[in-house]
Every structure is written in structure tokens, then in C-alpha cells.
Amino acid sequence: MSNCKERYRELTHTKDRVLNEDLAALERLSERARIERYNELKADEEDFVFEFTAECPDFFTGAEEDRIRSEFRLARLFVAASFYDDGGVPPAMAGDFVDAELQAVVDFERYKQFDALSEEQIATRVRRMEGEVYELVTEYTATQLSDLDDLLEDPDVQRDVMERLIERYEERREKIRQGFFVYVETQGLVHTVETIEEAITAVGEAERERERVSEELESGLADLSERIDGDLRGEFRELEAALLDPSADASAETRIERYTDRSGEAMAELAAQVEQVKELKADLEAQASSLESVREETKEAAREAVREEASAILDDELSDLDAQHERIEAEVRRLEREREQLAAESERLDERRADLEAAVGDDDPEGGDDVVTTPMARLFEMDYLGRFDISMHEASVVHTPDGARDVPDGYWEDRSERRTDRARLLDLLPDDEDPERYPHNRCARYEVTDERYLGLSRDPTLVIEAQVISNLDAHVRAGFDAAPADVDRLLDVVNPVVYEAEREGYHYLLAVASPTGWSERARRQVAGGDGDGGSRFSRRLSLCLVDLQDGTLYYDETDPVVADNAALFEPPVTAERVAACVDHVRETYVDDVTADSVTLADVREAGYDPHVVKQAFNDLADEGVGEQFYLDEFGLTLDLH
């Protein structure tokens, strides 16, 4: 028998230790220590149930064994609740307890100051409406503790565990109940009920209006978004690619006209949808105004009767209305961006055709100063992102919307990632084609984070990202691209970024780099902001365009987030390096009367990077020294005059 007693003492040591602590003490332990304690409790419980009861069958009655087992589960519930109150239960514990059980522990813990007070002291403070004791008594009805019978009847709740919990806090619970009775007696039950009913009625009307707005918003957008993102956008890509196909016939013209008509219809629908969404926004604003009025009307009554209860009910619904209002505002901005993109795509088809006709002649199928071949686009991409990664890792400070942040060594090691558009490239390529010969539209992403829960989790506050965008359709179809990136291609990148930033609530600093440069329209798009940070697309987006042809950056100089971080996005083309390359070409080839041409490969042998040589050829062509061609057997060539 003594062996059984000693064995029982060893098995229940951890359980008793946990049950003698409060939740705050558990929360001060590290995550690992709490998980180890939880696992130890689970192992002790299994030992008790399967081994101890078999080894010592007459030591406890069946009822006593059930009670002890429920105490083990109560101790585990306390450990799990320490995570629940601290941000979330770890996955390994997630299925052991339901939210109602975890919340009951957290709620009981909030009232622990009652343990040190007598019922008379509680009653006095309630009558005087004094301090946190009064606040807790008035909040008592808002928690499930006010009706534990319902909690015990919940089929998902382990009844025996809840009974042990109630026993543990029975004295505290009774004190809270007595305080509540004094509160109702002091304030007047009828007045209390009337005030709460008025708030609940107003909230009910607001909820119904909010649900109506949600239904109309969803039903109105689903079909239109599917047609634009699926049908129209896919057709635009096909038409743009068709303009690069030398075998394209006159049917492409008919398809372009048909697309323009359908695009115009979609833009008209988008405009109507924007107006409808704005009307829904006005309905929400009116409902919020009505709730504000009710809250003001109940303030005086609440001071005499229930004080914070009515306001809390109204505040919750006002918070929901505000969240939906923000969503609708974001939806309006998204629809307007969609309309801009459709307009840009329609214009782009005609401009693209003109650009290619200018760049592609009968005798020069791949000529022109602005031509970027597929190998060059890939080199541009790799070189630029390599330079961006170096800049990020060398930076000692980055500038966030909240000010400068120091960047210690190794900060980016687990806060960065690379992404590509490889999946789309593979869809475009024949099965036997090597994708590594092509640009992948890579991007590099870095996150500036704030630590939470003693460093156990991180919340991004600023995302810094650089993307290189090449026209994959053009490179697959023709092996080159000749047209500067326009607004439609910019919006392809911006739209999902804005959606992510507004949904997650952090700021996005985005650089979009184009190997063929940027159109004047795209550059104008980022030139002017609101002077208070953010781009014209969203207050959460700071945008920089990078022209990989000449290294120019385009951004709103009044936006401090992008202006102060601009050096991070400078491409690896320096004016000094290009000037040196120009001098080398002059001395070695232009001044040599026997030389009639020079290739990019010739100049690369002197140690110059391909993008530097390309810029040097551009500068020399602008001066009239020669004309650029692309020859299959030699690559990019400068034909000297």
C-alpha cells in the first residue's frame, strides 16, 4: 500500500503543481516549458488510468478515479488556456479542448482580484461605481460565466472538467454574483433592460443592413470579375502575342475590333458597378450614423443604469460596419483599377502593333535600339535581382512609414524569399523547350516585422519587394521584346499587391523593373501621389518603376517611404561603367577604319556586362555612330557608319 501511495504522489506531482498556479504564472513560462509540462501531464494521466489502477486496484473507488482523471484534464486545460490567452493554442493541443472550455478559464482568471475582497467590500465599490471592481461586475453578464448551466449543457464541453473548474472558483463566482445583484439593485433592473433592448434593436437593424450590403456586393461582382479576369484578360494576351507572329493574317484585325467592343462594354459595366458600390457605401455610412446617434442617446442612461453595456454592444457593431466600409472602399479602388487596366489594354493593342512595325522591318526582323532579346532579358533579370539582394543585405537602415529601422546583421535570413512566374512560362512553352533559356519574371521579397508574444511570432509591418517583368508571350513567340512596359502590365503586378496589403494591413514598398523600359503613360502613373505617403493606387503602396535600359528610377518624390529607400532599387548599371564601355568601343572599333561592325560578344570579352554593352550601343546609336541589328549568327550588332 505504501508503494501505491508513493507512486500516486509521483504521478500527481505535476498536476497539483499546475492547479496551484494561476494563469499568469503559466504564461510567464516559455512556450517550450509549457508544452513539456502539458506532455508530462498527458503521460501521467495515461499512467494513472492504465498502469496505476491496474497495479493498485483497491486504492481508490471508481468515483475517486474518475475525479482524479478529471483533475488531470483540468490541469491540461489550464496549460492550454495559457496559450489561448496568449494568441492561440499550438496545433498539438488544438483538438483536446473546445473554445468554450478555454474561454471559461480565461474569464475566471480575469476575476481573481475578488479573492482578496469580502462581499461587503464588493457591494460598497459597486454602489459607488468605483474602480475596476465595478467594471468587472458590469461585464460579468457579457461572459459565459453568468450562465454556467448553459456551459455545462454544451455537448462539446467535458462536463466533469467544467465541474472541477467551477468547484475551484465557487467562492469567487458567488462573490461576483452577489456583486451583480447589488449592481442591479442600485441601478434599477427595468432601466437596465430598457437600455440594453434599445441597443440590441439598433444593432439588429445594422446587422441586417450589413448582410444585405454584403450579399449585393458579392452577387454584383462575381460574374463581372470572372469575365474580366478570365475571358477578356486571356483574350488580350492572345491578341498581343498574335501581333508578334509573322504568320498572323487579317483575322487578327477582326479579333482586335471584337475585343475592343467587348472591352468597352465591360468598362461601362465596371463604371456602373463602381456607382452601385458607392451607393452601398453610402447606405453603410447612414447606418453607422444611426448607430452613433443611438450610442449618444444611451450615454446618459448608461451612466445611471448600465454604463458600458449598451455602448459595448453598439461599439461591436460599429466596428463591424467600419470593417465593411473599409472593404467597400478597397473594392471601389479595385474596380477603378480594373477599368483603367481595360482601357490601357485596348489602347495597348494599337500601340503595340505600331511599336512592332517600327521596330521590326522586312530586312531587320529583330532590329531596333529598344529590342531586348530573350537571353538579354534573362541576364537583365538575374543581374538586377542579384544587385537588389546585395543592396538589402548591405543596408544598415530601412525606412518604414513609422520611421527608420536599424537592420542588424543576419536580419533577412528568415525574412526573405524568391518567387517566379515559372508556371505561366511552362504553360507557354512547347514540351521540349528548355525554360532556363527564358526570363522567369522573378521577384525578391523581404519583410520588416514586429515581434509578438516574446518573439514567438512576427507580424509584417513593411514588405519590400522587387519584381522584374518581361513580356513572356513575346519572348516565347518571337525571341525578343521591343515595346516598353505599359500601364496594363504594371496593373497586372499592382492589383494583387494592393489587395494583399489592404487585406493584411501592412505597407508595401514595390519596385517593378522592366528590361524594355516604361511607357510615358506608366511613368506618369507613379509620378504624383497625395504627398502623405502611398501611391495613387493605395495609401498602403509605395511604388517605384525601374528602367533596366538606362537605370532610371521613376517614383513619387513626395512619398517618403519610396524616396528614402530608392537607393535599394538602383540597378547594377552605373554611368561610369557605361561611359567606360563607350570609350572602349570608340577606341577599339569606331576609330578603326577597317572595322565596319562590332558585336555585343566582342565587347563582352573586354569584361563588360551585357546590359552595360547594350546601353553603350544605345548611346552610340543615338549619337549617329551606327545602327543596331540582331543577327542570328552574331547576336546584337552595332553596324558602324
Side-chain angles (χ1 to χ4, degrees):
M1 184 65 70
S2 60
N3 288 340
C4 289
K5 185 180 295 185
E6 184 62 31
R7 178 96 166 94
Y8 174 72
R9 189 179 295 115
E10 291 175 358
L11 280 176
T12 57
H13 172 74
T14 302
K15 167 181 74 71
D16 295 339
R17 180 182 176 188
V18 170
L19 293 178
N20 286 326
E21 294 176 336
D22 59 17
L23 205 59
L26 285 169
E27 289 176 349
R28 285 194 291 271
L29 297 176
S30 69
E31 179 180 358
R32 174 176 293 181
R34 281 182 280 171
I35 291 174
E36 289 175 353
R37 188 165 295 184
Y38 188 90
N39 292 334
E40 187 176 349
L41 285 167
K42 207 164 189 177
D44 289 344
E45 181 183 346
E46 291 177 358
D47 273 1
F48 176 79
V49 172
F50 297 108
E51 296 182 14
F52 178 84
T53 54
E55 295 169 3
C56 305
D58 300 323
F59 196 75
F60 291 115
T61 66
E64 288 172 334
E65 288 176 358
D66 290 342
R67 182 181 181 87
I68 293 168
R69 186 175 185 184
S70 65
E71 288 176 353
F72 273 113
R73 290 203 296 271
L74 179 62
R76 286 197 287 117
L77 173 60
F78 267 63
V79 178
S82 73
F83 286 102
Y84 186 78
D85 193 34
D86 199 26
V89 176
M93 305 178 192
D96 292 351
F97 301 100
V98 298
D99 285 351
E101 295 169 319
L102 296 162
Q103 188 63 52
V105 175
V106 173
D107 286 340
F108 267 124
E109 192 69 14
R110 293 179 60 234
Y111 299 107
K112 65 183 178 182
Q113 63 178 281
F114 285 91
D115 296 346
L117 300 174
S118 67
E119 291 182 7
E120 290 76 12
Q121 289 172 316
I122 293 171
T124 299
R125 296 190 186 190
V126 170
R127 287 192 178 95
R128 294 177 181 173
M129 298 182 180
E130 179 182 306
E132 191 175 358
V133 170
Y134 173 75
E135 302 287 345
L136 289 173
V137 169
T138 59
E139 289 176 11
Y140 174 69
T141 53
T143 73
Q144 58 193 348
L145 298 185
S146 64
D147 197 347
L148 283 168
D149 290 338
D150 288 346
L151 181 63
L152 291 172
E153 293 302 321
D154 188 333
D156 295 325
V157 165
Q158 301 170 82
R159 184 183 178 91
D160 59 338
V161 177
M162 287 296 100
E163 287 174 348
R164 300 291 84 74
L165 183 67
I166 293 168
E167 286 175 4
R168 178 184 173 95
Y169 293 117
E170 189 59 48
E171 183 179 353
R172 180 187 300 174
R173 179 190 175 208
E174 188 57 32
K175 286 183 179 181
I176 299 169
R177 285 165 54 85
Q178 291 302 322
F180 176 69
F181 293 149
V182 172
Y183 165 74
V184 173
E185 175 190 337
T186 303
Q187 303 302 332
L189 183 59
V190 173
H191 202 173
T192 298
V193 172
E194 288 177 350
T195 305
I196 294 294
E197 283 184 346
E198 184 178 0
I200 289 174
T201 300
V203 166
E205 293 175 358
E207 284 180 341
R208 286 190 290 275
E209 180 68 4
R210 183 159 49 83
E211 289 171 2
R212 179 189 69 80
V213 168
S214 289
E215 289 175 3
E216 291 193 21
L217 189 64
E218 295 297 337
S219 62
L221 295 176
D223 180 62
L224 184 58
S225 294
E226 183 177 348
R227 284 196 292 117
I228 291 173
D229 292 337
D231 299 344
L232 277 175
R233 198 127 293 144
E235 186 174 353
F236 168 75
R237 295 293 186 215
E238 290 178 5
L239 286 171
E240 187 181 37
L243 292 175
L244 296 166
D245 190 344
S247 63
D249 55 25
S251 65
E253 297 291 337
T254 304
R255 291 172 60 199
I256 289 173
E257 292 175 4
R258 187 170 63 247
Y259 170 85
T260 303
D261 292 340
R262 292 179 59 207
S263 178
E265 293 171 3
M267 281 189 282
E269 286 186 57
L270 277 172
Q273 191 70 53
V274 167
E275 293 306 313
Q276 182 182 350
V277 174
K278 286 180 178 178
E279 290 177 7
L280 294 177
K281 183 172 75 169
D283 291 343
L284 277 186
E285 290 169 348
Q287 196 63 53
S289 177
S290 176
L291 275 187
E292 290 282 5
S293 299
V294 174
R295 185 168 63 172
E296 290 301 315
E297 290 170 5
T298 59
K299 271 187 177 179
E300 291 302 320
R303 289 195 187 98
E304 299 172 1
V306 292
R307 287 188 73 183
E308 302 299 329
E309 280 85 343
S311 291
I313 292 171
L314 294 164
D315 285 345
D316 286 344
E317 180 59 27
L318 279 168
S319 176
D320 290 341
L321 286 172
D322 286 343
Q324 190 168 31
H325 185 269
E326 287 186 9
R327 184 198 165 199
I328 286 181
E329 284 190 330
E331 198 61 48
V332 168
R333 291 193 293 270
R334 187 187 72 80
L335 289 171
E336 289 175 339
R337 289 195 303 272
E338 287 280 8
R339 188 172 56 182
E340 289 178 10
Q341 188 167 5
L342 280 175
E345 286 172 353
S346 294
E347 295 178 27
R348 176 73 163 164
L349 286 175
D350 287 334
E351 292 179 4
R352 180 72 172 168
R353 181 169 45 195
D355 289 342
L356 287 167
E357 287 172 354
V360 182
D362 291 338
D363 298 327
D364 179 21
E366 297 178 351
D369 291 352
D370 296 326
V371 169
V372 174
T373 63
T374 297
M376 288 181 63
R378 179 173 171 78
L379 283 170
F380 271 129
E381 180 177 281
M382 301 296 288
D383 287 351
Y384 178 67
L385 288 185
R387 171 67 180 88
F388 174 65
D389 283 334
I390 292 171
S391 296
M392 291 299 298
H393 284 275
E394 289 181 347
S396 59
V397 174
V398 295
H399 299 271
T400 76
D402 298 322
R405 286 276 295 268
D406 291 333
V407 180
D409 289 341
Y411 183 79
W412 304 120
E413 293 305 321
D414 55 351
R415 293 177 174 86
S416 62
E417 63 176 317
R418 282 287 187 99
R419 299 175 180 175
T420 74
D421 206 3
R422 182 184 177 89
R424 182 166 179 273
L425 175 64
L426 292 176
D427 287 341
L428 296 172
L429 288 173
D431 292 339
D432 58 348
E433 186 69 22
D434 181 10
E436 298 309 315
R437 295 180 52 249
Y438 293 84
H440 283 54
N441 284 354
R442 290 174 169 83
C443 79
R445 174 188 173 106
Y446 292 78
E447 292 183 354
V448 180
T449 62
D450 282 341
E451 307 293 326
R452 294 185 63 201
Y453 306 119
L454 302 177
L456 297 177
S457 68
R458 296 170 178 164
D459 286 340
T461 57
L462 175 66
V463 173
I464 305 175
E465 185 173 295
Q467 292 194 34
V468 179
I469 56 165
S470 297
N471 187 337
L472 298 181
D473 299 84
H475 285 290
V476 170
R477 295 270 187 137
F480 71 97
D481 188 22
D486 202 0
V487 173
D488 60 299
R489 204 163 296 283
L490 173 62
L491 288 172
D492 275 344
V493 178
V494 165
N495 281 341
V497 163
V498 169
Y499 176 75
E500 177 187 335
E502 292 183 342
R503 180 191 65 207
E504 302 297 338
Y506 43 65
H507 200 87
Y508 222 110
L509 173 58
L510 174 67
V512 189
S514 169
T516 55
W518 290 96
S519 69
E520 178 61 29
R521 183 167 47 191
R523 297 198 295 266
R524 287 198 307 269
Q525 200 80 5
V526 302
D530 54 17
D532 192 29
S535 71
R536 68 184 302 273
F537 300 109
S538 169
R539 63 187 178 86
R540 294 190 181 278
L541 174 66
S542 296
L543 183 61
C544 177
L545 302 186
V546 184
D547 186 337
L548 295 181
Q549 288 275 315
D550 57 19
T552 306
L553 305 184
Y554 301 96
Y555 56 87
D556 177 13
E557 295 182 358
T558 66
D559 179 354
V561 176
V562 63
D564 293 341
N565 290 298
L568 297 173
F569 302 126
E570 292 176 352
V573 177
T574 62
E576 294 83 0
R577 193 72 177 142
V578 172
C581 185
V582 169
D583 290 342
H584 171 75
V585 173
R586 284 186 189 281
E587 294 170 2
T588 309
Y589 301 99
V590 177
D591 295 342
D592 184 353
V593 295
T594 64
D596 55 7
S597 65
V598 55
T599 67
L600 182 146
D602 293 334
V603 184
R604 283 199 66 187
E605 291 178 0
Y608 292 99
D609 293 330
H611 50 271
V612 174
V613 179
K614 180 66 172 74
Q615 183 58 46
F617 279 11
N618 288 350
D619 292 349
L620 289 166
D622 290 342
E623 293 176 16
V625 171
E627 185 176 356
Q628 295 183 75
F629 294 93
Y630 185 85
L631 304 175
D632 288 339
E633 62 271 32
F634 298 112
L636 185 66
T637 302
L638 181 66
D639 187 38
L640 303 175
H641 292 328

